[in-house]
Amino acid sequence: MYKTHFTSEVTPELDGKTVFLAGWIHTIRDLGGKKFILLRDRSGLIQVVVSKDSAAYNSVSELTLESTVQVEGIVKSDKRAPSGVEVHALSIKPFSIAKSPLPLEVSGKVESDIETRLKERVLDLRRVEMTSVLNISSEVIRSFRNTLYSKRFIEVFTPKIIASATEGGAQLFPVIYFGREAFLAQSPQLYKELLAGSVERVFEIAPAWRAEESDTPYHLSEFISMDVEMAFADYHDVMELLEDLVTNMIDVVKTHCGKELAELKHELPNITKPFPKISYSEALEILRGKGFTIKFGDDIGTPEARILAEEVGTPFYFLVEWPSFTRPFYTKSIDSNPDLSESFDLMYKWIEIASGSTRNHNRKVLEENLRRKGLNPENFEFFLRWFDYGMPPHAGFGMGFARLMLFFTGLNNVKEAIPFPRDKKRLTP
Ligand code: AMO
């Protein structure tokens, strides 16, 4: 056992007790014959005092910033210490002495650009800000799972090596599968639908791959997709579910991550349900009123979404009922107006963080939609044949985890929000 406590667990009540701590040398100062070490672990920092007459004193001289050590020491409650408590070292055992100087400063404010930070990522992840981002990420995922479990969803896993495109063909990564062409999944779409056709309510948190050519603050070539699929439900039902998921996450992060939000100097706004809904057609009207030339079927890009976000005035809103031909083949059209679909995007300001729809559960219509998109229904037989055997009406959505984290952390770039981003030019670390 290397440690008896995390540094955050060392409280004044432990005064006089011996503890074993393990972590990294955050800073060292030499003051009047005593050395003061700030020892860091994932939970925070604690001051370790090493006096000249202690056995630990000699081992301190070789310690560099970011070296890993075990400290055995006695807890002393002391109002002058940064956390009201400090540890007087009995012995310090180094595990790994870090090279000096460091390629990236871990303590203090980092002025490095994002390229350097991603290159020196493991040091960057040790910074208090990035540790906060990772802690918040974990709480967001925990909340997502808990809300879904409470609504009788089960967590599933779908194949990531697949035979055909689901979201439109251009962005697939091919792989060679025993001499045959296959692809990395862009989405669990078809498999989550089939699972909902068996067990009604499923979710998956898993990577998805898109060969994204463009380098934007919102695109990764590998991203974590939070997918939900629900039988006997339509797009209104899953939008309501999405509202519950997001507002519960906000409550959880506010309750459990106060320290992390403070480290990031980020405040979460109060969000109320339901989120505003703007139909695609209304959005066109608003944008035309603001001088945009935009016709039915055009995408709503970032400049347009910025205007809409301003108009709505709340961080989250839904853009609903997109033109049918702009959505994937599995999307259901509105019965009374087939040019439009039962679909939505959840927007955080100008960023699309989730998209979903009611799905089509009629085989004939699915085949027609595939043909209309220039795709061969025969290649989708592995999916379509199950629509002959009692597919329920169903709906669902996919949410981009890194984009969602922009809201929870106040960061501006998805590459900062996840530990090891993949993009066109980045395959390591
Ligand atoms: P869509 O293609 O809109 O829908 O993707 C769903 C969500 O995934 C996120 N996302 C990305 N995040 C980072 N980098 C990318 N390159 C990237 N591409 C997408 C976005 C987006 O809203 N099968 C449907 C979902 C469904 O209908 O259930 C789908 O994949 O936040």
Side-chain angles (χ1 to χ4, degrees):
M1 190 58 153
Y2 286 94
K3 58 167 83 189
T4 54
H5 296 79
F6 275 93
T7 61
S8 63
E9 293 163 346
V10 180
T11 54
E13 293 78 68
L14 293 179
D15 191 66
K17 293 248 155 43
T18 300
V19 291
F20 288 84
L21 306 175
W24 291 261
I25 304 292
H26 193 65
T27 60
I28 306 186
R29 287 175 308 142
D30 196 332
L31 284 181
K34 272 189 187 170
K35 306 236 184 205
F36 291 85
I37 293 174
L38 270 183
L39 182 74
R40 189 188 69 246
D41 64 12
R42 203 201 65 208
S43 72
L45 297 163
I46 193 154
Q47 179 156 286
V48 175
V49 184
V50 193
S51 61
K52 233 186 186 129
D53 50 7
S54 83
Y57 195 78
N58 285 343
S59 49
V60 176
S61 55
E62 64 167 331
L63 295 179
T64 50
L65 297 184
E66 291 310 304
S67 296
T68 41
V69 295
Q70 182 189 51
V71 174
E72 178 190 4
I74 297 171
V75 178
K76 287 258 158 48
S77 160
D78 188 331
K79 290 208 170 57
R80 291 166 302 172
S83 57
V85 68
E86 57 189 23
V87 170
H88 287 232
L90 297 172
S91 72
I92 295 184
K93 183 172 157 195
F95 296 122
S96 172
I97 300 295
K99 254 206 237 171
S100 185
L102 296 165
L104 190 96
E105 204 195 331
V106 176
S107 62
K109 265 271 146 285
V110 168
E111 301 295 341
S112 312
D113 57 273
I114 178 141
E115 293 299 320
T116 311
R117 287 186 41 215
L118 291 177
K119 181 161 169 272
E120 310 299 344
R121 192 56 158 169
V122 176
L123 289 174
D124 188 49
L125 293 175
R126 289 186 196 161
R127 293 189 309 111
V128 178
E129 289 84 355
M130 281 312 301
T131 306
S132 300
V133 170
L134 292 176
N135 282 340
I136 296 172
S137 299
S138 181
E139 286 300 328
V140 166
I141 291 289
R142 189 207 304 266
S143 170
F144 182 75
R145 285 204 167 97
N146 285 347
T147 303
L148 289 167
Y149 288 141
S150 76
K151 293 174 189 288
R152 306 191 65 162
F153 283 77
I154 56 175
E155 185 163 12
V156 296
F157 303 95
T158 62
K160 298 302 162 206
I161 302 177
I162 56 164
S164 47
T166 53
E167 312 297 320
Q171 309 161 321
L172 285 166
F173 282 113
V175 290
I176 299 161
Y177 190 68
F178 300 113
R180 269 190 298 162
E181 187 177 52
F183 305 97
L184 292 178
Q186 321 171 279
S187 151
Q189 184 63 36
L190 304 187
Y191 289 97
K192 70 176 178 171
E193 285 193 49
L194 295 179
L195 278 159
S198 298
V199 292
E200 298 194 35
R201 298 182 184 194
V202 295
F203 74 94
E204 180 174 24
I205 303 169
W209 292 270
R210 309 229 175 149
E212 294 286 355
E213 288 292 334
S214 51
D215 187 10
T216 81
Y218 311 119
H219 288 89
L220 297 160
S221 41
E222 178 179 81
F223 66 98
I224 296 297
S225 185
M226 303 161 87
D227 276 273
V228 166
E229 201 66 26
M230 184 175 184
F232 308 109
D234 67 10
Y235 70 133
H236 291 294
D237 299 317
V238 292
M239 277 192 277
E240 210 173 292
L241 172 61
L242 199 37
E243 288 168 342
D244 287 344
L245 284 163
V246 171
T247 50
N248 287 353
M249 285 171 189
I250 296 172
D251 288 346
V252 165
V253 171
K254 280 185 176 175
T255 308
H256 296 289
C257 301
K259 190 174 129 230
E260 283 81 358
L261 291 170
E263 292 290 359
L264 294 169
K265 298 182 180 60
H266 185 52
E267 246 176 73
L268 294 178
N270 291 323
I271 304 286
T272 48
K273 297 181 280 191
F275 302 163
K277 291 191 179 79
I278 309 178
S279 72
Y280 175 84
S281 312
E282 284 163 353
L284 293 194
E285 289 303 311
I286 295 170
L287 291 167
R288 283 173 190 145
K290 302 273 178 190
F292 281 82
T293 315
I294 186 163
K295 57 179 193 311
F296 186 80
D298 286 351
D299 192 25
I300 294 179
T302 303
E304 292 85 359
R306 278 181 196 272
I307 299 292
L308 295 175
E310 231 168 72
E311 191 78 7
V312 184
T314 57
F316 293 106
Y317 59 99
F318 287 108
L319 282 175
V320 304
E321 290 151 14
W322 291 72
S324 294
F325 75 88
T326 68
R327 303 298 273 206
F329 79 95
Y330 50 79
T331 313
K332 186 179 180 299
S333 295
I334 297 175
D335 289 335
S336 58
N337 185 358
D339 287 343
L340 297 176
S341 59
E342 296 193 5
S343 59
F344 62 87
D345 283 354
L346 174 63
M347 306 296 291
Y348 160 52
K349 296 185 185 167
W350 54 87
I351 307 160
E352 176 208 311
I353 61 166
S355 87
S357 60
T358 313
R359 323 302 192 183
N360 220 303
H361 66 283
N362 177 314
R363 178 178 175 136
K364 288 272 152 323
V365 182
L366 285 168
E367 285 179 358
E368 215 169 279
N369 287 353
L370 280 166
R371 269 187 226 103
R372 225 180 263 147
K373 293 200 181 277
L375 296 165
N376 183 355
E378 277 172 29
N379 296 338
F380 288 83
E381 192 53 27
F382 74 94
F383 173 66
L384 296 171
R385 64 177 293 234
W386 307 108
F387 289 71
D388 291 333
Y389 300 103
M391 263 315 254
H394 58 289
F397 59 82
M399 179 151 60
F401 180 51
R403 292 189 189 178
L404 176 67
M405 284 306 294
L406 299 182
F407 166 74
F408 281 102
T409 59
L411 296 174
N412 299 313
N413 190 328
V414 289
K415 290 172 201 168
E416 285 187 84
I418 61 162
F420 300 109
R422 291 285 175 265
D423 61 23
K424 201 175 172 188
K425 56 176 196 261
R426 204 169 273 107
L427 196 52
T428 61

